[in-house]
Amino acid sequence: MTAATPSAAVDVLFARRLPKIELHAHLTGSISRSCLHDIWADRKTRDPQLELEDPFVAMPPGKVDYDINTFFPLFSSYIYRLCNTIDSIVYSTKAVLQDFQRDGVVYLELRTTPRRVTEQGISKDDYIKTVVAQLREHNRDKSNSLQAFLIISVDRRNTVAEAEEAVDLAIKYQPDGVVGIDLCGDPAQGDVRIYTATFARAKAAGLKITLHFAETENSASDEELHTLLSWQPDRLGHVVHVNDEIRKAIERQDIGVELCLSCNVLAKMITGSYSDHHFSVWRHSTVPVALCTDDVGVFCSPLSHEYYLVAKHFGLDRHQLKALSEGAIRSIFTGAEQQSRLSKIFSDWIDDTIRA
Ligand code: IMP
Ligand code: ZN
């Protein structure tokens, strides 16, 4: 191999081998259909009267055309009803961690919304405690290549009291690996201004902030976006409907962006297809860019595939793809220890298909 040889085109196997950082993944949206099916089969055996459909029927394999109208009800009317016991929360969390790890993800900030299951006597605290315990157990096992941390989500439908409860839980479990707070949920709902003091309290407690930002046109009014930016977020998810003024403000504040290509294309959140995605804008900006899956259980495109898609549609070679993946280190929420662990992983990673 000579120094002048360009690196070979990216293929799926390279994208899988590449160490990757996932910063925007919703726990319940990341559960694979086969994992949901296992949970369903177990419940059906114990309770043959169970009325919930088999996940392979409710979410047929290959169906990924969920849009903003069909996506959110999928959780409230189906997945939450299926995963409603401590056992299923444990089982699915472990499976999600393994799925990311098998895909070559070495660092994960998973996010989830505190959930109460009244009929099972599960409180929001029980739910978060259970998820945190799975992440800690996973991180303690030295044979695991992935390290995982938690972000707690506030749903746009939450009352201020519910949002305050989410922040209380984030602060309570901060010593156990909760690193930040998120604002998510149906972008057609809610008035974000009501959470201003809640997010200020989270920030004052040392939690990092990430926000779903300008996902749809009706969550992209100047007023909403200026309110969200005034919270001084550390990262923003999606950033679809942003004008030049907002884009410059994001660059001035050096806020990392979390870009979810397949989700945006499949849910028709952008006009056109992959090559029309606003990755083309952000890749040339000064802010850190992280490719993310959002909901791999729904859109079925693992993080390696997102990297592959970017290489394919934007012409990135192996060096550029590695640099993109490594660049996400800048915006992780955990700090110096994980940053140096990740920098070492990338500097030690020698793929003999990358030619110097
Ligand atoms: P959970 O928070 O672990 O229960 O993950 C599922 C939840 O994440 C959904 O009910 C939504 O509130 C939220 N979510 C998942 N994907 C998106 C998205 O693209 N935009 C906004 N919220 C989302
Ligand atoms: Zn999201």
Side-chain angles (χ1 to χ4, degrees):
M1 291 173 206
T2 66
T5 313
S7 68
V10 169
D11 57 22
V12 174
L13 289 176
F14 175 83
R16 207 171 293 150
R17 285 196 302 274
L18 180 68
K20 292 171 291 295
I21 294 170
E22 170 65 83
L23 301 179
H24 187 141
H26 299 265
L27 171 56
T28 313
S30 300
I31 307 172
S32 72
R33 285 165 207 198
S34 67
C35 177
L36 291 173
H37 175 78
D38 290 348
I39 291 167
W40 177 85
D42 181 59
R43 282 190 62 186
K44 192 77 180 168
T45 310
R46 293 161 197 262
D47 173 15
Q49 309 302 319
L50 180 72
E51 281 181 358
L52 279 177
E53 274 182 323
D54 183 336
F56 288 145
V57 175
M59 302 167 69
K63 177 174 166 57
V64 288
D65 58 348
Y66 293 92
D67 64 17
I68 219 82
N69 299 313
T70 54
F71 176 80
F72 292 99
L74 182 65
F75 292 91
S76 43
S77 62
Y78 185 70
I79 307 179
Y80 289 150
R81 290 174 60 207
L82 182 62
C83 300
N84 72 347
T85 60
I86 292 290
D87 282 354
S88 61
I89 294 161
V90 168
Y91 185 80
S92 55
T93 306
K94 282 183 192 297
V96 164
L97 295 174
Q98 288 306 321
D99 287 349
F100 278 111
Q101 182 164 277
R102 262 195 302 273
D103 191 43
V105 175
V106 291
Y107 179 92
L108 168 65
E109 288 175 9
L110 200 56
R111 59 185 75 189
T112 200
T113 321
R115 184 151 62 88
R116 179 185 299 114
V117 189
T118 312
E119 66 276 19
Q120 301 284 345
I122 300 172
S123 66
K124 291 183 178 183
D125 192 317
D126 295 333
Y127 174 77
I128 294 297
K129 188 169 45 184
T130 303
V131 173
V132 162
Q134 298 322 302
L135 270 52
R136 279 173 66 86
E137 189 185 313
H138 177 96
N139 291 350
R140 267 198 303 267
D141 182 343
K142 296 284 174 260
S143 68
N144 283 321
S145 47
L146 166 82
Q147 293 278 293
F149 301 89
L150 193 67
I151 294 170
I152 292 190
S153 298
V154 171
D155 187 299
R156 295 174 67 107
R157 283 164 304 187
N158 284 166
T159 61
V160 171
E162 288 167 328
E164 288 285 332
E165 200 183 348
V167 172
D168 288 342
L169 287 170
I171 293 170
K172 177 174 176 184
Y173 290 102
Q174 217 172 348
D176 300 310
V178 173
V179 292
I181 194 105
D182 161 48
L183 180 68
C184 75
D186 185 345
Q189 309 286 325
D191 175 352
V192 300
R193 290 174 301 183
I194 67 170
Y195 307 122
T196 297
T198 308
F199 276 78
R201 184 164 75 89
K203 200 170 185 68
L207 290 160
K208 301 281 188 179
I209 294 178
T210 179
L211 305 169
H212 283 68
F213 191 85
E215 251 183 301
T216 59
E217 271 176 48
N218 58 12
S219 67
S221 66
D222 274 353
E223 185 172 27
E224 170 159 336
L225 301 188
H226 283 122
T227 300
L228 295 178
L229 288 177
S230 77
W231 300 353
Q232 296 180 301
D234 300 281
R235 293 198 309 255
L236 297 172
H238 295 294
V239 289
V240 182
H241 299 276
V242 293
N243 59 28
D244 280 354
E245 183 222 335
I246 297 288
R247 185 179 49 73
K248 283 180 190 149
I250 293 171
E251 289 183 327
R252 244 189 340 267
Q253 290 181 231
D254 195 31
I255 307 173
V257 294
E258 308 158 347
L259 303 182
C260 312
L261 274 80
S262 289
C263 161
N264 295 167
V265 169
L266 297 170
K268 301 195 169 44
M269 290 157 65
I270 62 162
T271 310
S273 192
Y274 291 97
S275 51
D276 304 300
H277 194 272
H278 45 287
F279 170 77
S280 61
V281 175
W282 291 105
R283 66 179 288 205
H284 298 300
S285 82
T286 51
V287 304
V289 173
L291 297 188
C292 304
T293 53
D294 211 1
D295 297 282
V296 61
V298 178
F299 298 111
C300 303
S301 177
L303 191 58
S304 60
H305 194 244
E306 295 297 293
Y307 274 86
Y308 169 71
L309 287 170
V310 155
K312 179 174 162 190
H313 293 284
F314 297 94
L316 273 67
D317 67 18
R318 294 181 182 218
H319 283 294
Q320 290 170 313
L321 209 64
K322 182 183 175 194
L324 176 66
S325 185
E326 189 169 358
I329 297 177
R330 265 177 69 202
S331 58
I332 65 171
F333 282 175
T334 43
E337 189 184 329
Q338 287 296 325
Q339 272 175 342
S340 56
R341 172 184 159 260
L342 291 170
S343 296
K344 182 162 173 16
I345 288 175
F346 280 94
S347 61
D348 288 352
W349 191 70
I350 298 167
D351 191 277
D352 47 13
T353 63
I354 295 191
R355 294 162 198 180

